[in-house]
Amino acid sequence: MSFEFRSLTPLACVVGVADVFKYCSPTRRSFLSGRLPPHIGGGDNSASATVDLRMHTIADKLNSAGYQSHMSGKWHAGHDVVAQTPHGRGFNTSLGYFNGACDHYTQKDSEDGCGTVTDLWNTDRPGVGLNGTYGDYLYAGRAVETIENHNPSVPLFYYLALQCAHDPMEAPDRFTSMFDGSTCPSVVEYAFSSVIDEAVKNVTEALKSRGMWENTLFVLSSDNGGPAFSDQHAASNYPLRGGKYTLFEGGLRVTAFVSGGVLPAAMRGVNIPAPVHVCDWYAVCFILNSTFACRECQPHCSTADV
């Protein structure tokens, strides 16, 4: 376990059975909509996969309660029309890439079938002049910048979808140099973990420096099991069987925990045995917000019981 995670987890509530979809886009759409994957396009993982525009996203709902909503990182939840982009789905600002993967340094990809293009979008326009920096430096940096410029008296929702640990297998030298290739099964995979750790550290320190940590619910989750069967072949989900792209638990059960100042003291250091699906976080945000009736977000939601 990395340094920042070691400092957070003793004060965190670990979600022992955290369930998601077996790969990227359906998990993200499920989180954004509060619905299980079959109700938001099923297993569609294409560039056109999206949340139905008739549905309210978590950002839409929180904005209606007076929040400011922002995001950065990987979107992968639709961009055929502007209304499907993060800004169109309720986020006041965003910085990130639309597709499932892109070069970590150049932000270039070819998933849309239009040749190799720069996939970087800044709220309501292309991120001209912003590409060329390691992606998670950009995305975590935007999160820190947003927190530092935010009025603490206004509720804030921030969705940070880091690019690591996703292919292509590219990590900064200052992280790869931390590991010995002769003893480390995958230097880049380990470096990815260190990139994530530093991003978490920078975000939590920014919240604390602004006096916002004590009012924060901090949720960390992966979007699928480790990719044990792809070009990122270093993953191990032991003792669970399978990995990303499979319907075994190794593909569907992930690491997740909750921290932050609003977490009750009695829940710190606790491991929740009950299953929690990624779509449940949609309702959790409203259950904790007195603006909403407990079951206003989804009439048949059982998250309050969890």
Side-chain angles (χ1 to χ4, degrees):
M1 185 180 294
S2 52
F3 176 79
E4 187 61 23
F5 287 174
R6 280 200 190 100
S7 68
L8 284 178
T9 48
L11 302 176
C13 176
V14 176
V15 183
V17 186
D19 293 323
V20 296
F21 196 69
K22 61 181 178 177
Y23 46 71
C24 316
S25 181
T27 294
R28 295 161 195 273
R29 302 196 312 269
S30 192
F31 167 72
L32 289 167
S33 67
R35 291 167 168 81
L36 291 167
H39 303 294
I40 38 90
D44 189 356
N45 204 42
S46 68
S48 60
T50 191
V51 175
D52 193 303
L53 292 176
R54 293 169 293 182
M55 298 178 181
H56 295 292
T57 68
I58 188 170
D60 290 325
K61 294 292 287 184
L62 288 174
N63 288 351
S64 72
Y67 278 70
Q68 287 282 308
S69 298
H70 306 269
M71 75 83 57
S72 55
K74 178 176 175 177
W75 179 240
H76 208 187
H79 63 280
D80 284 350
V81 295
V82 171
Q84 296 174 346
T85 66
H87 189 52
R89 300 319 311 258
F91 291 94
N92 301 95
T93 68
S94 68
L95 176 65
Y97 60 105
F98 288 143
N99 284 319
C102 66
D103 187 279
H104 285 266
Y105 289 98
T106 66
Q107 287 74 54
K108 292 184 180 297
D109 71 52
S110 55
E111 290 191 15
D112 283 320
C114 302
T116 301
V117 298
T118 299
D119 185 359
L120 188 64
W121 194 256
N122 187 15
T123 306
D124 58 357
R125 66 199 66 190
V128 176
L130 298 177
N131 64 306
T133 298
Y134 193 74
D136 280 341
Y137 291 174
L138 284 176
Y139 312 135
R142 172 61 69 90
V144 170
E145 178 185 356
T146 301
I147 293 166
E148 289 177 343
N149 292 308
H150 184 74
N151 180 353
S153 67
V154 178
L156 170 68
F157 169 59
Y158 203 100
Y159 172 37
L160 174 58
L162 293 170
Q163 186 171 7
C164 291
H166 200 290
D167 64 330
M169 306 300 287
E170 302 166 334
D173 290 343
R174 70 184 183 90
F175 291 108
T176 57
S177 63
M178 296 167 60
F179 304 99
D180 182 355
S182 65
T183 58
C184 179
S186 177
V187 167
V188 176
E189 286 280 8
Y190 278 57
F192 278 163
S193 296
S194 295
V195 173
I196 296 170
D197 188 58
E198 182 175 274
V200 170
K201 176 177 182 289
N202 291 343
V203 169
T204 54
E205 285 186 348
L207 288 166
K208 291 173 182 177
S209 70
R210 295 284 289 154
M212 298 166 65
W213 180 252
E214 292 306 311
N215 293 317
T216 292
L217 178 70
F218 182 93
V219 179
L220 185 144
S221 174
S222 180
D223 62 345
N224 48 249
F229 309 107
S230 70
D231 61 343
Q232 290 180 258
H233 45 72
S236 171
N237 302 298
Y238 182 83
L240 304 179
R241 180 181 179 183
K244 182 178 181 179
Y245 303 118
T246 76
L247 290 173
F248 295 116
E249 285 192 325
L252 304 177
R253 185 170 295 181
V254 299
T255 298
F257 67 79
V258 185
S259 188
V262 301
L263 186 68
M267 295 303 296
R268 297 176 185 180
V270 172
N271 189 314
I272 300 177
V276 177
H277 193 273
V278 69
C279 71
D280 291 327
W281 297 118
Y282 184 103
V284 165
C285 292
F286 310 125
I287 293 168
L288 295 176
N289 191 315
S290 59
T291 304
F292 298 97
C294 181
R295 299 188 185 275
E296 180 181 343
C297 53
Q298 298 286 4
H300 307 295
C301 172
S302 61
T303 302
D305 302 323
V306 175

